[in-house]
Amino acid sequence: MKVVKFGGSSVANAEQISKIIDIVVADADRRIVVVSAPGKRSSSDTKVTDLLIALGNSVIKGEDYDAALEAVVMRYAEIQADLDLNVAVIDDIRADLHRRIDERGDHLLQFMDDMKASGEDNNAKVIAAAFSKRGYPARYVNPGEAGMLLSDEFGNAEVLHESYEKLSLLADSPEIVVFPGFFGSTRGGQVATFPRGGSDITGAILAAAVKAEVYENFTDVDSVYAMDPRIMPEAPAIEMMTYREMRELSYAGFGVFHDEAIIPAVQAQIPICIKNTNRPEMPGTLIVPERKYEHAAVVGISSADGFCAIYIDKYMMNREVGFGRRLLQILEEEDISFEHTPSGIDNLSVILQSSELGAEKEKAVVDRIMQELSPDNVTVEHGLSLLMVVGEGMHYAVGMAARATGALSDAGVNIEMINQGASEISMMFAVKEPDRKKAVHALGNAFFA
Ligand code: ASP
């Protein structure tokens, strides 16, 4: 059985919803369909989730919210009319929104979650009706009733482990299950949502619960590309990569999806396939636990700005027991998470996201390092970009680092730092932010031309 998730742009209007029905019924294994709220129909459009947030805010402020409520209802009314569904659907949605508003308690975040969740909830009802209208047996399933139990961290909830057993029963449904993404129910029966974009999480949880053969995630791109197509339009599509490769790539700015979203599928070792709703015949990108990598040593290259480095020099550092621990303890006590710690015999550097180190934090950290570790020198450099060259096969291929450094040197890019991941599935290069694009091009030409 396959669990299939459709993102907001795939369910934004009647035309898109017709496509997803075609996709689902084309493969008898596609039994569980997770849907987002209607997304943008064009780049200037507003997602229903954002309309709902605006509506919720108006209610909280005590403003007149009729227009905001009708703006939400109208999005569904257009879909209902274009799909020729029963008009009662629209009255139900309007009544549902009024009920959520009228029955709200004092907990504002909980109220906002209830509002946001209605986007997926009502869309799943509409889409289940659209399947039935076309003669395919399908049913809407309410997440709370099906056992999707979440922590009560409203807006940022996490699934509770006990959910899986009950959710596994969805595998026995004789009809196609249409399951709203993004939310579940707390133990106390209140609606709670995952972070934004959380329908991906719902899909991953259901795929793990029913032990799906694959979790298909339909969006509006043909596949994941080896490099950011905005920087390198000729970047090749990635046909297959491992979870570890995806994780290394997404870490430096690869926008596949939020890597936390797929944790449940990764833990259950379910392959994930990214596909395009508008071109379902394309193979997409398959993300798997293991792959053979004789040919494609490098699977992708990603890059991101916004990093900084703390450089610490101390003569005889290598003989000093506990130096690294004490340095990292300072960071821990200052509540700073770090990315890499390349080291030399007498120096250690720590790479972090600049957002972790505001001016005040920076001063506190540097002062503490000076006092507690008595180094010869500490400097902080901002404005760094990280480039990750990623591939499981690199471990076995000779000359990969030489190829990368040669390309960067030919392009006149100064490498500030190099780190080969301990796992040897990635090489990291830090360069100055203005050099990032040039560096990405140079590496792209070296590995994919
Ligand atoms: N509709 C929600 C959002 O816009 C969740 C999702 O689409 O995954 O964040």
Side-chain angles (χ1 to χ4, degrees):
M1 107 155 10
K2 296 177 180 171
V3 170
V4 203
K5 182 255 165 180
F6 293 97
S9 62
S10 302
V11 288
N13 58 22
E15 189 190 347
Q16 293 300 90
I17 292 173
S18 300
K19 284 184 198 167
I20 77 155
I21 294 175
D22 292 337
I23 290 169
V24 171
V25 301
D27 182 341
D29 290 337
R30 292 181 175 137
R31 305 290 308 156
I32 298 181
V33 183
V34 175
V35 295
S36 283
K40 292 182 179 194
R41 294 159 295 186
S42 66
S43 54
S44 58
D45 200 9
T46 309
K47 287 170 143 206
V48 163
T49 309
D50 292 313
L51 295 177
L52 287 161
I53 292 171
L55 169 59
N57 283 328
S58 286
V59 172
I60 289 171
K61 286 191 210 138
E63 295 168 357
D64 180 356
Y65 56 79
D66 278 355
L69 191 142
E70 279 313 301
V72 176
V73 173
M74 280 315 154
R75 286 294 307 266
Y76 295 101
E78 186 189 300
I79 294 171
Q80 171 269 324
D82 292 346
L83 290 176
D84 197 18
L85 302 176
N86 190 332
V87 70
V89 168
I90 299 311
D91 294 334
D92 290 348
I93 292 175
R94 189 179 285 111
D96 173 68
L97 291 171
H98 278 295
R99 182 192 54 74
R100 288 173 199 257
I101 293 168
D102 295 344
E103 293 178 4
R104 72 185 183 280
D106 298 333
H107 196 311
L108 295 186
L109 286 178
Q110 202 280 312
F111 167 60
M112 284 307 274
D113 273 16
D114 201 25
M115 293 309 295
K116 283 185 276 176
S118 77
E120 311 351 68
D121 202 37
N122 286 318
N123 211 26
K125 289 176 184 165
V126 168
I127 291 170
F131 271 98
S132 304
K133 171 93 188 166
R134 285 189 40 191
Y136 303 112
R139 79 183 160 103
Y140 154 85
V141 169
N142 177 278
E145 285 165 20
M148 181 68 84
L149 276 181
L150 307 190
S151 63
D152 53 11
E153 297 150 280
F154 296 105
N156 194 24
E158 285 183 35
V159 68
L160 301 182
H161 196 73
E162 64 223 63
S163 301
Y164 287 94
E165 204 179 319
K166 191 162 172 206
L167 288 171
S168 71
L169 301 177
L170 290 172
D172 303 329
S173 172
E175 304 103 343
I176 294 167
V177 167
V178 184
F179 198 101
F182 192 34
F183 74 97
S185 169
T186 65
R187 283 206 182 98
Q190 289 171 313
V191 167
T193 71
F194 295 119
R196 290 296 304 270
S199 297
D200 283 337
I201 307 179
T202 305
I205 293 167
L206 295 188
V210 302
K211 301 194 172 46
E213 158 204 339
V214 59
Y215 169 31
E216 291 181 318
N217 198 304
F218 279 84
T219 76
D220 48 14
V221 290
D222 282 345
S223 44
V224 180
Y225 292 91
M227 301 170 71
D228 186 342
R230 287 167 303 184
I231 302 182
M232 195 98 178
E234 63 277 30
I238 301 177
E239 279 169 35
M240 194 188 278
M241 64 176 151
T242 63
Y243 299 144
R244 295 201 306 165
E245 288 170 330
M246 190 221 60
R247 175 85 183 107
E248 298 264 352
L249 285 169
S250 62
Y251 149 74
F254 229 64
V256 188
F257 36 32
H258 196 33
D259 37 10
E260 270 181 56
I262 53 161
I263 291 173
V266 171
Q267 284 171 340
Q269 304 267 293
I270 311 281
I272 301 161
C273 191
I274 315 280
K275 283 175 78 81
N276 189 347
T277 301
N278 304 312
R279 303 214 299 164
E281 65 286 358
M282 300 295 284
T285 296
L286 193 60
I287 307 169
V288 291
E290 308 277 342
R291 71 175 177 99
K292 291 209 175 82
Y293 31 76
E294 298 109 54
H295 303 301
V298 172
V299 73
I301 299 168
S302 61
S303 67
D305 292 336
F307 291 89
C308 63
I310 308 175
Y311 298 95
I312 300 143
D313 291 304
K314 185 171 187 183
Y315 192 59
M316 293 286 181
M317 185 192 285
N318 69 322
R319 302 260 184 96
E320 195 173 319
V321 174
F323 188 92
R325 181 191 56 72
R326 280 182 285 142
L327 171 64
L328 296 181
Q329 189 165 342
I330 294 175
L331 296 181
E332 181 181 345
E333 285 167 7
E334 297 295 330
D335 199 25
I336 292 170
S337 80
F338 69 93
E339 308 291 320
H340 298 270
T341 53
S343 63
I345 184 160
D346 282 340
N347 35 56
L348 217 156
S349 33
V350 183
I351 299 184
L352 7 130
Q353 296 193 5
S354 291
S355 57
E356 292 276 326
L357 203 66
E360 247 172 66
K361 267 272 162 81
E362 177 173 329
K363 185 170 181 316
V365 168
V366 171
D367 286 351
R368 282 192 64 181
I369 293 173
M370 291 305 286
Q371 277 163 18
E372 295 170 36
L373 301 175
S374 312
D376 299 330
N377 195 23
V378 183
T379 46
V380 178
E381 187 179 359
H382 286 277
L384 294 178
S385 296
L386 293 193
L387 288 98
M388 302 295 298
V389 179
V390 177
E392 302 250 7
M394 282 198 318
H395 184 48
Y396 304 97
V398 176
M400 304 304 277
R403 212 195 296 180
T405 50
L408 292 172
S409 127
D410 289 348
V413 174
N414 187 29
I415 303 171
E416 301 287 314
M417 209 180 292
I418 303 180
N419 193 20
Q420 168 132 39
S423 59
E424 282 201 61
I425 79 157
S426 66
M427 282 184 284
M428 182 218 80
F429 298 95
V431 302
K432 292 221 159 66
E433 281 178 356
D435 280 342
R436 172 161 76 106
K437 286 198 178 134
K438 202 167 32 160
V440 171
H441 273 275
L443 292 174
N445 289 328
F447 290 104
F448 298 120

